[in-house]
Amino acid sequence: MQRVGVIGGGLMGAGIAEVSARAGHDVIVTEAGSASARAALGRLEKSLARAEAKGKLASAAVVLDRIRVTTDLDAVADRDVVIEAIVEDETAKAELFKRLDTVVTSPDAILASNTSSIPIMKLGVVTSRPQQVIGIHFFNPVPVLQLVELVPSLLTSPETTERARAWVEGPVGDGGLGKRTIDCQDRAGFVVNALLIPFILSAIRMYESGFASAEDIDRGLVLGAAHPQGPLSLADLIGLDTTKAIAESLYEEFKEPLYAPPPLLQRMVDAGLLGRKTRRGFYTYE
């Protein structure tokens, strides 16, 4: 699969586009408007320049030359794999998959979602080819973290799953991305977020109740449990809106109280305090 399409050029979409281009693939990124397309391109340029400066990349310009950013969804018609990385909203994703079903002309193309929590079945059934729809869930930051969750639905064909695995795990330079996969059942949250989000929500509830400060909660997990980052700092990195969306998806599926977003998280999202992306969440970022 040499021709890659990425729908959405935010943090995750740009990261997927970057690792695909660094692996030698021809990449097209589509965005909803010209402003967001410019922002996506700037995100890619900054990340690649940083990698080159650190000696992790021979030439940022060569990699960037493999990527085209456009506002034309029809540009992904000839792609071998198209990965959706838009907002974590089931209605928006389902509508996009309906459109991709008509836009992508290759009969063997894989239509994938980078969703963190939405069941893949709900996206596959709106297309005429649910056997070719699969979850390929990368982790942020995509160029750094090795894990990818593969999430087939009940209708995803074994061939699609194995083609996706071969692409993700294949050696860089030999058609693959050089990452590692785990297999997940098609349940909200999959493996990592089904474990991680309740943990983060518990930390938010602890902070909300006044039990401890944000700094002490995070310091406790870093120094006492050898976590590389505390749960509230991690929530800021993920994005509080994304954290809330995943929690809501988990609660909708399992109806377990531990998955329900705490009131403080709801209010922070309402206020636009989304973490690092808005420079303010549980911490303030310069």
Side-chain angles (χ1 to χ4, degrees):
M1 297 192 290
Q2 291 297 313
R3 297 185 298 267
V4 178
V6 180
I7 314 301
L11 284 174
M12 293 303 296
I16 296 166
E18 178 179 333
V19 298
S20 299
R22 287 173 70 165
H25 301 319
D26 170 37
V27 182
I28 292 177
V29 179
T30 71
E31 262 292 358
S34 56
S36 52
R38 287 193 297 271
L41 182 59
R43 203 170 282 119
L44 284 159
E45 290 172 338
K46 184 177 180 180
S47 179
L48 289 167
R50 186 165 55 241
E52 183 179 11
K54 291 181 177 180
K56 297 180 179 179
L57 188 65
S59 172
V62 169
V63 175
L64 198 60
D65 195 48
R66 300 186 186 120
I67 304 172
R68 178 159 64 97
V69 182
T70 178
T71 58
D72 180 14
L73 188 64
D74 289 338
V76 301
D78 68 342
R79 302 289 94 179
D80 301 313
V81 57
V82 178
I83 303 175
E84 166 274 314
I86 65 171
V87 63
E88 193 71 357
D89 178 86
E90 182 182 323
T91 301
K93 289 181 186 292
E95 184 58 37
L96 175 60
F97 270 79
K98 287 181 185 177
R99 294 184 63 194
L100 289 175
D101 192 34
T102 62
V103 166
V104 179
T105 56
S106 172
D108 299 322
I110 290 176
L111 303 183
S113 176
N114 185 59
T115 179
S116 306
S117 59
I118 295 169
I120 302 304
M121 178 66 77
K122 295 184 177 183
L123 305 179
V125 295
V126 303
T127 75
S128 64
R129 40 181 154 179
Q131 71 278 6
Q132 291 165 233
V133 176
I134 189 171
I136 303 180
H137 179 220
F138 294 80
F139 287 80
N140 183 38
V142 181
V144 176
L145 297 184
Q146 285 296 299
L147 182 64
V148 176
E149 291 179 321
L150 291 184
V151 192
S153 79
L154 291 174
L155 298 178
T156 304
S157 71
E159 179 187 10
T160 295
T161 302
E162 292 313 310
R163 287 179 64 210
R165 190 191 316 280
W167 176 60
V168 172
E169 290 196 339
V172 173
D174 193 28
L177 302 182
K179 293 190 175 290
R180 301 290 298 276
T181 65
I182 59 174
D183 294 336
C184 309
Q185 293 290 320
D186 188 19
R187 304 289 187 270
F190 314 134
V191 170
V192 173
N193 280 316
L195 294 169
L196 178 63
I197 294 302
F199 168 62
I200 290 176
L201 298 181
S202 293
I204 295 173
R205 292 188 185 99
M206 179 176 281
Y207 172 66
E208 183 178 41
S209 71
F211 193 96
S213 69
E215 292 81 1
D216 282 347
I217 291 169
D218 282 350
R219 189 178 298 120
L221 271 296
V222 170
L223 300 181
H227 288 207
Q229 185 174 18
L232 299 178
S233 175
L234 180 57
D236 276 356
L237 177 63
I238 294 170
L240 301 191
D241 52 342
T242 301
T243 301
K244 174 176 172 285
I246 298 170
E248 289 172 336
S249 182
L250 286 164
Y251 185 72
E252 175 65 24
E253 176 125 321
F254 300 109
K255 299 297 189 294
E256 295 282 355
L258 75 163
Y259 294 130
L264 177 61
L265 179 60
Q266 299 269 14
R267 299 299 179 271
M268 292 178 75
V269 172
D270 290 343
L273 307 178
L274 308 182
R276 286 184 178 271
K277 67 177 76 174
T278 59
R279 300 188 180 182
R280 185 180 169 192
F282 290 102
Y283 298 92
T284 300
Y285 303 89
E286 296 298 332

